[in-house]
Amino acid sequence: MNKRCLGCGIYLQITDSSKLGYTKSLDMDYCMRCFRLKNYHENLEIPFEVNNEEILKKVNHGTGKVFFFVDVLNIYRENIELFLKIQIPKVLVISKIDVLPRSISLKVIENYLKKHFHIQEEILFVQKKKNNARKIYEYIDKDSFSNFYFLGLTNAGKSSLLNLLLEELIENSKPITVSEMPNTTLDFIEIILPNKKKIQDSVGFTYNYCFKDFQMLQKTLIKKEIKPKNFYLKKGTVLSLENQIFLKLDDLNSITWFGSENLLLQKIYREKTQEYLSFSVSEKTNIYLKGVGFFYVKKASIVQIAGLQKENIAIEPSFLGGNFYGQN
């Protein structure tokens, strides 16, 4: 009997507890990994690799429309290029906008996406609220397509929004598993809506996120509006993030952090011996620490970062556009 886990989409199996899909009984609806995540917030370390190109290939050979999710703290070229590679009709969905300070205009972000990345498709902004899930459903209901893919970066919030939609529309629906762990969803999960249209929730596209430790990933989780932390750094001063990532500038400059308040961020004056990566940035630049947050650098500078690989960092002109100056 081929039966998929309702939480992650993987085929269930009862023969090998060290492999994905293991469950004690095929009468169960969830694999053991999803069961532990859902009920005990524990992650079973089972190897799993995501092939971004294979996901794109499957979708591009299909029919329908794509909702592609990128969370608002990860708007950089590597992620947008995945959206641009989709060859069937698509909509760009910027998620988790409720974590942004209210002083930041969504219209400014929309114009930035169109100008900087040449996005021509429709752009939607959503947050984790039932009325936003309803907005997606109303969009689907009015659209001529009958098949819709939920694609996007891992932890971009697509499965969370889909769970809200199921809760709103389908009585006694069983939720998809969500957690801070990257790639909680492991395969396509197919859902039939009351209007008979179909949603296929995909495994999240992987990227070189900074932290892989489960406890550290929990600390990066943002549940409420960010209160940006503004620092004035002079030469010789170092910003330490969790005593793991270190950043310094070549001259006096203003730098603002957008990320979880659970992460310890502080100035230090005696840096440890570290090997730094060096980047030249123009004024009004976002320096993304992938999967964690970003620094907004106000003036052009040489930025040095230690504790990460080059692949963990992305640098883009800021969507803040100089209209936001940070808060103390």
Side-chain angles (χ1 to χ4, degrees), residues 115-145:
K115 182 178 180 180
H116 183 58
F117 296 112
H118 307 292
I119 303 296
Q120 299 178 352
E121 291 80 9
E122 187 172 1
I123 300 171
L124 299 179
F125 293 92
V126 299
Q127 52 189 304
K128 189 182 175 182
K129 290 187 177 180
K130 285 186 178 181
N131 59 344
N132 281 247
R134 170 64 65 173
K135 180 167 69 174
I136 294 289
Y137 178 72
E138 289 173 353
Y139 186 107
I140 289 172
D141 198 41
K142 294 175 183 177
D143 200 274
S144 59
F145 288 98

Side-chain angles (χ1 to χ4, degrees), residues 227-242:
K227 294 181 179 179
K229 295 181 179 179
N230 195 61
F231 298 88
Y232 288 93
L233 297 186
K234 58 184 179 180
K235 191 171 183 178
T237 306
V238 178
L239 271 183
S240 166
L241 183 66
E242 285 290 321

